[in-house]
Amino acid sequence: MEKIFQLGADIAKLWEKYASSYFSGMYSTITLALLCTLVGCLIGLLCGILQTIPSSKNDNIVKRCVLLVIRGFVRLYVEVFRGTPMILQAVVIYYALPYFSDNAVKFTSIWLAAFVVVSINTGAYMAESVRGGIISIDPGQTEGAKAIGMTHWQTMTNVILPQALRNILPQIGNNLIINIKDTSVMSIIGFTEFFAVHKTVVGATYLYFPSAAIEMVGYLTMTVIASVILRWVEKKMDGADSYELAQVDALTMSAGTYRHPAKPEDLLERNLEHERGK
Amino acid sequence: MSETILQIKHLSKSFGANIVLRDIDFTVAKGDVTSIIGASGSGKSTLLRCINLLETPTSGEILYHGENVASRKVNAANYRSHVGMVFQSFNLFNNMTVLENCMVGQIKVLKKNKEDARKEAIYYLEKVGMAPYINARPRQISGGQKQRVAIARALAMDPEVLLFDEPTSALDPEMVGEVLTVMQNLAQEGMTMLVVTHEMAFARDVSTQVVYMNQGVICEQGTPADLFGNPQRQETRDFLSRFRSN
């Protein structure tokens, strides 16, 4: 019991002195995670779309070659950035520029460096999620769109992607939450996010556990809020559970669910009206 | 004789070594209601899918007003916007309401403005008795209702020909009637239709031309009276007798 009070006192002490540091760390973490998830999704979307452009034997050779090169490139990108630790990617990208240019070119802002690394990393994961989302949509949806004369691009933007995005929304949520936590490895290149604050604080106070406790609660708060918001968005995207019957005009009152063939003269008159309306 | 819209010439289709269609020839004129009947696996649906270029024919020609649309140079999307298709599994867009389903093609493909597209969509939805359901989503309505919306969606594109790929096969028996009634009304209004169906009564009573397919070839074709009343080929007689005994 005594220890619990001790912990409370230590946390209070840290909070009093470092609250603003913790808050600014949280702010950096959440901003970086949100931005990078957003940009990562866009990269993933682009890769997913590029990878699912159909090619058939009837296409000309140039188009087929270009598609092949694009697919190869995307595949390479995904394998490299999904297959190596982000902490190493950060080091490699951050130090590669000055190394090759003899310090002439380097990231002027740690922010930019962290942003680039996390975005590219997220994009690699999202590329696969988006591709999976696209190929999971029933081929009948594509055929329905083609049958009314839509092009591949129109089919994608109007029919397939809205459904695919809805289906991968849980994946996007996963990535946001992973990013909130994993941006902590950006402290390796000196980015001062939430976890970096912890390192600074314990360096000065040696209160390892109390500070870690604050961090735990902080991270959990951010991730829980993120998942609540995402659930809400998912529900929003599904639309209402019920629908209202519309009364378009008096004629539909009699339509109900089953319309018997009208008397020929009625039908004729309505067709004429329609023609006039055109 | 009225104007020829579609002419199929020596059409063949194979999937690998599997030959599904062999040397198909027939013509669809304006106002024709052609029923394609035949056992499952006889190539009826593949034929219809070839006509809408959802499958690429292996050889042969599909002439649409004299132009061969099976050639690579033709813009398939543009051709398809003139030839409507209704599928066995409806294929309504799940991310849209009933009304949006009937508007999206008009807006994106025919480049109509929203207000005109809406009017047109409601006109056709009313025609199939689905106007009260414009705000519903496909998952919220029954199979028969979905198929009627799918017909309205195709009609809203103002197509010259409507292709039906077994439009009632996925429906519960009590919903078949409502869809057939809609199709019958369309036929009476002079819509040119090409219908792959197992509904023999529809083929007999509504169509102007019946094509009987067997193992990838057209076995017999003619008016419903001839084909049902006086079939020339033994295969046709066998096929029809199986239906009568059922």
Side-chain angles (χ1 to χ4, degrees):
Chain A
M1 206 59 198
E2 197 187 317
K3 280 287 165 199
I4 301 284
F5 287 127
Q6 176 67 41
L7 177 63
D10 284 342
I11 288 176
K13 200 164 84 190
L14 284 177
W15 195 250
E16 198 183 342
K17 206 168 168 197
Y18 296 106
S20 65
S21 301
Y22 282 120
F23 274 122
S24 82
M26 272 168 102
Y27 176 75
S28 298
T29 292
I30 206 91
T31 317
L32 186 68
L34 275 172
L35 266 178
C36 293
T37 309
L38 188 73
V39 174
C41 283
L42 293 178
I43 296 174
L45 204 59
L46 185 72
C47 292
I49 291 170
L50 287 174
Q51 274 182 299
T52 48
I53 295 174
S55 75
S56 70
K57 277 179 266 169
N58 294 337
D59 292 326
N60 68 49
I61 190 86
V62 180
K63 186 185 168 193
R64 285 170 70 191
C65 285
V66 169
L67 283 179
L68 218 66
V69 170
I70 288 176
R71 276 181 205 167
F73 180 77
V74 172
R75 190 70 198 275
L76 186 73
Y77 160 60
V78 169
E79 293 301 343
V80 168
F81 280 89
R82 210 173 48 165
T84 53
M86 189 159 76
I87 193 164
L88 264 176
Q89 291 164 15
V91 174
V92 167
I93 291 178
Y94 189 61
Y95 292 108
L97 285 179
Y99 183 88
F100 283 114
S101 63
D102 283 327
N103 282 325
V105 191
K106 53 184 161 191
F107 280 103
T108 46
S109 133
I110 300 281
W111 251 104
L112 185 66
F115 169 73
V116 168
V117 172
V118 182
S119 297
I120 292 179
N121 184 277
T122 311
Y125 283 93
M126 284 312 297
E128 284 302 276
S129 298
V130 172
R131 193 175 66 88
I134 290 173
I135 59 180
S136 73
I137 302 298
D138 172 20
Q141 296 285 309
T142 309
E143 291 189 348
K146 277 184 172 175
I148 55 171
M150 285 195 191
T151 59
H152 172 73
W153 181 243
Q154 287 172 331
T155 305
M156 270 306 195
T157 51
N158 293 294
V159 179
I160 306 300
L161 286 179
Q163 296 183 52
L165 283 180
R166 164 64 191 89
N167 289 349
I168 61 168
L169 208 61
Q171 282 292 331
I172 296 176
N174 251 345
N175 269 306
L176 176 61
I177 285 169
I178 288 172
N179 278 346
I180 289 175
K181 297 181 299 173
D182 284 6
T183 43
S184 57
V185 304
M186 288 303 121
S187 58
I188 190 124
I189 53 171
F191 183 74
T192 49
E193 39 63 63
F194 195 32
F195 185 68
V197 174
H198 166 75
K199 289 210 270 189
T200 318
V201 168
V202 298
T205 61
Y206 298 103
L207 290 169
Y208 283 92
F209 177 64
S211 176
I214 293 177
E215 293 272 319
M216 286 288 265
V217 174
Y219 272 115
L220 202 58
T221 311
M222 290 191 284
T223 52
V224 168
I225 291 173
S227 57
V228 167
I229 292 175
L230 280 157
R231 282 288 161 90
W232 179 79
V233 173
E234 264 179 52
K235 250 191 128 164
K236 253 313 200 230
M237 277 182 87
D238 283 342
D241 287 336
S242 59
Y243 58 92
E244 279 183 23
L245 289 182
Q247 300 293 328
V248 180
D249 65 26
L251 280 169
T252 55
M253 287 285 286
S254 56
T257 56
Y258 186 99
R259 183 159 160 265
H260 288 279
K263 278 179 287 178
E265 59 267 27
D266 291 350
L267 216 60
L268 189 68
E269 196 170 314
R270 281 174 69 188
N271 278 340
L272 284 175
E273 256 171 44
H274 178 63
E275 291 301 322
R276 268 182 247 124
K278 265 188 181 171
Chain B
M1 192 176 148
S2 57
E3 183 193 358
T4 301
I5 296 178
L6 277 172
Q7 198 174 1
I8 318 296
K9 278 186 173 173
H10 308 297
L11 184 82
S12 296
K13 171 72 183 172
S14 46
F15 295 104
N18 185 13
I19 301 167
V20 183
L21 293 175
R22 243 183 275 254
D23 205 20
I24 303 285
D25 274 293
F26 74 97
T27 303
V28 176
K30 197 168 170 53
D32 274 354
V33 178
T34 308
S35 291
I36 304 176
I37 58 172
S40 298
S42 58
K44 313 183 294 289
S45 289
T46 308
L47 173 58
L48 209 64
R49 292 169 61 83
C50 279
I51 293 174
N52 206 19
L53 302 183
L54 288 174
E55 305 286 355
T56 315
T58 313
S59 65
E61 294 183 337
I62 299 166
L63 301 176
Y64 173 69
H65 291 298
E67 187 190 13
N68 181 20
V69 292
S71 98
R72 280 185 209 179
K73 286 175 224 107
V74 170
N75 180 345
N78 181 42
Y79 162 69
R80 289 197 194 102
S81 69
H82 299 290
V83 179
M85 178 133 177
V86 174
F87 298 89
Q88 182 176 353
S89 50
F90 327 124
N91 295 350
L92 291 181
F93 306 135
N94 294 326
N95 55 322
M96 301 178 196
T97 63
V98 164
L99 182 63
E100 287 163 346
N101 261 283
C102 299
M103 285 169 65
V104 65
Q106 299 184 66
I107 294 170
K108 302 291 173 185
V109 179
L110 303 179
K111 313 287 180 201
K112 284 197 202 169
N113 71 44
K114 245 184 159 169
E115 203 37 54
D116 288 350
R118 190 186 151 87
K119 267 189 209 141
E120 198 81 343
I122 287 177
Y123 171 80
Y124 286 110
L125 283 167
E126 208 173 280
K127 203 169 186 145
V128 299
M130 284 301 290
Y133 296 89
I134 51 173
N135 298 323
R137 288 179 180 271
R139 64 181 144 89
Q140 294 164 327
I141 56 180
S142 74
Q145 292 176 324
K146 278 184 202 170
Q147 197 60 295
R148 287 187 284 151
V149 173
I151 293 173
R153 177 177 73 178
L155 287 172
M157 298 297 290
D158 202 12
E160 231 178 319
V161 195
L162 256 189
L163 312 176
F164 292 82
D165 186 8
E166 303 196 25
T168 56
S169 299
L171 298 177
D172 288 337
E174 71 266 26
M175 292 172 183
V176 171
E178 60 188 75
V179 173
L180 289 181
T181 308
V182 167
M183 290 168 62
Q184 195 168 350
N185 287 347
L186 285 176
Q188 277 163 2
E189 289 170 28
M191 184 79 212
T192 311
M193 292 158 60
L194 193 54
V195 188
V196 167
T197 187
H198 289 291
E199 298 290 333
M200 290 304 138
F202 180 88
R204 192 186 57 218
D205 302 336
V206 181
S207 38
T208 56
Q209 182 183 202
V210 183
V211 173
Y212 169 62
M213 286 187 64
N214 188 29
Q215 297 183 340
V217 294
I218 292 182
C219 187
E220 190 167 346
Q221 59 180 315
T223 63
D226 287 345
L227 201 118
F228 286 97
N230 183 22
Q232 300 298 311
R233 302 276 296 257
Q234 186 57 43
E235 294 96 321
T236 319
R237 268 177 246 142
D238 291 346
F239 176 75
L240 291 175
S241 71
R242 244 178 299 152
F243 264 93
R244 288 209 189 88
S245 59
N246 281 348

